[in-house]
Amino acid sequence: MSCCSFAKLKSSLVLLNILYMLIALILIAVPAFAYSMNYFTNYSLIGSLIGAGVFLFLFSFLGLCGALHHHQVMLFFYMVVLGLLCIVQFASSITLVAINDEQQVDILNKSWVSATNFSRVELQTTFDCCGFDHNVTDEYFPPQNCSSTTMLC
């Protein structure tokens, strides 16, 4: 007898997809709650998290249905998408590890320059900081409560 029977593999796949569904519901509920309580005003971040939650929910539902009904087409599609997600995550992690400190500062500086005034003020207020990378001579900064002893963002 083999150590892993079909029934054990099927039930483990079902449990894994139920776990994915719970994580997806959390990914949908937490940003929606944060938005309703006005914790975040960044709509693109909230929309991205809710979109990722919906995608994960539908994807895990596909895997759950494929496992319960032993539907090979669903399981094949599930396996292909899961493989693509693994490749994307691997590439993202390699990219994040490969970026050195100078490149990180360059990316953050470009983001700071392209940010809206509202985002800059909100960031400075939230983190109690002033400007970015000694860029306090910007035409919009320093804000009213920005002193010379305040740390940089």
Side-chain angles (χ1 to χ4, degrees):
M1 243 193 188
S2 66
C3 67
C4 298
S5 67
F6 175 74
K8 287 181 184 177
L9 289 174
K10 180 180 175 180
S11 60
S12 65
L13 187 58
V14 167
L15 288 174
L16 182 68
N17 281 299
I18 289 173
L19 178 68
Y20 283 162
M21 290 176 106
L22 291 174
I23 292 171
L25 290 175
I26 291 170
L27 268 175
I28 294 169
V30 170
F33 175 75
Y35 174 73
S36 69
M37 299 302 287
N38 291 326
Y39 287 135
F40 294 110
T41 55
N42 189 347
Y43 300 119
S44 61
L45 174 66
I46 292 171
S48 299
L49 287 173
I50 291 175
V54 168
F55 174 76
L56 182 61
F57 187 83
L58 293 174
F59 180 66
S60 60
F61 184 74
L62 174 75
L64 183 67
C65 288
L68 286 175
H69 299 295
H70 191 62
H71 195 275
Q72 289 187 355
V73 174
M74 280 185 183
L75 288 174
F76 178 75
F77 182 68
Y78 177 76
M79 188 175 62
V80 167
V81 173
L82 195 60
L84 291 174
L85 285 176
C86 287
I87 291 170
V88 168
Q89 284 182 338
F90 183 71
S92 300
S93 63
I94 293 294
T95 303
L96 291 175
V97 169
I99 294 177
N100 62 24
D101 291 338
E102 183 181 312
Q103 291 169 329
Q104 287 177 358
V105 170
D106 187 45
I107 291 169
L108 290 173
N109 196 16
K110 287 178 182 176
S111 299
W112 180 263
V113 169
S114 66
T116 63
N117 296 334
F118 178 75
S119 298
R120 292 180 186 177
V121 171
E122 185 177 356
L123 183 86
Q124 291 181 123
T125 305
T126 302
F127 293 110
D128 192 28
C129 58
C130 183
F132 180 78
D133 197 26
H134 303 288
N135 190 11
V136 292
T137 58
D138 199 346
E139 61 184 276
Y140 308 107
F141 300 106
Q144 296 80 9
N145 8 346
C146 201
S147 67
S148 61
T149 59
T150 307
M151 67 176 189
L152 297 174
C153 296

